[in-house]
Amino acid sequence: SAFRNKNIGVIPQGKSAVGSLTVLENILLPLHLYGEDNVPKAKELMERFHIEHLEDAMMSELSGGELRRMAIARALIHDPKVLFADEPTGDLDDENTVTVLKMLKELAHTGIPVLMVTHESEAEVYADVLYRMDAGKMERIDA
């Protein structure tokens, strides 16, 4: 559990926020579990994903897209060595989708492996390697 928390970032498909915590507290949760803190980094991530104005908001006050962007920031708070993203843009509008996809590509180009699963074909232009699953068969296709 500690290894996964410190080395693997996970952007889950569903809603994964702790309802009794604020946005800032949710983002910092992976660090707080092990006695760490990095409020400046959390605020930087909140700005990057345009949720800085929601720092003290509770989960019940957020839209689906805001919850998703909070989950992405939480997945990145500990500088993961690998990132798994399950439909990371599912609840996002076009502008935020581009922001997230560009960020995932930037991470990949800094040496952090990013494995993204999505149904959104427009995400293909951001991928370095593509696999498509059809009828239970997976095949590599050219990006």
Side-chain angles (χ1 to χ4, degrees), residues 81-139:
K81 294 185 178 37
V82 64
L83 182 66
F84 295 103
D86 187 358
E87 298 285 355
T89 59
D91 299 320
L92 302 180
D93 59 25
D94 292 343
E95 179 183 341
N96 285 306
T97 292
V98 169
T99 297
V100 169
L101 292 173
K102 283 182 178 179
M103 179 275 308
L104 293 174
K105 187 164 186 85
E106 287 172 21
L107 282 175
H109 288 183
T110 65
I112 298 171
V114 176
L115 176 66
M116 179 174 64
V117 177
T118 187
H119 290 93
E120 296 185 39
S121 58
E122 55 273 1
E124 290 181 10
V125 299
Y126 294 91
D128 294 320
V129 178
L130 290 172
Y131 287 86
R132 181 164 286 127
M133 182 173 276
D134 190 23
K137 293 182 180 180
M138 188 178 296
E139 67 176 320

Side-chain angles (χ1 to χ4, degrees), residues 1-12 16 29-31 33-34 71 74-84:
S1 177
F3 176 84
R4 186 208 62 80
N5 185 57
K6 291 182 185 263
N7 295 287
I8 301 171
V10 177
I11 302 169
S16 62
L29 185 59
L31 297 178
L33 290 173
Y34 295 94
R74 185 178 56 209
L76 299 173
I77 190 66
H78 55 69
D79 296 317
K81 294 185 178 37
V82 64
L83 182 66
F84 295 103

Side-chain angles (χ1 to χ4, degrees), residues 23-73:
V23 169
L24 180 61
E25 291 167 337
N26 263 284
I27 292 169
L28 289 169
L29 185 59
L31 297 178
H32 283 192
L33 290 173
Y34 295 94
E36 299 174 30
D37 200 2
N38 194 339
V39 172
K41 175 148 189 196
K43 289 186 177 193
E44 175 188 317
L45 288 165
M46 289 170 56
E47 286 179 26
R48 182 160 195 183
F49 297 114
H50 313 292
I51 56 172
E52 65 276 6
H53 62 287
L54 300 170
E55 177 178 330
D56 296 319
M58 301 304 287
M59 299 305 101
S60 60
E61 301 172 50
L62 304 182
S63 69
E66 292 165 340
L67 283 166
R68 178 62 54 131
R69 288 179 280 153
M70 185 278 308
I72 294 168

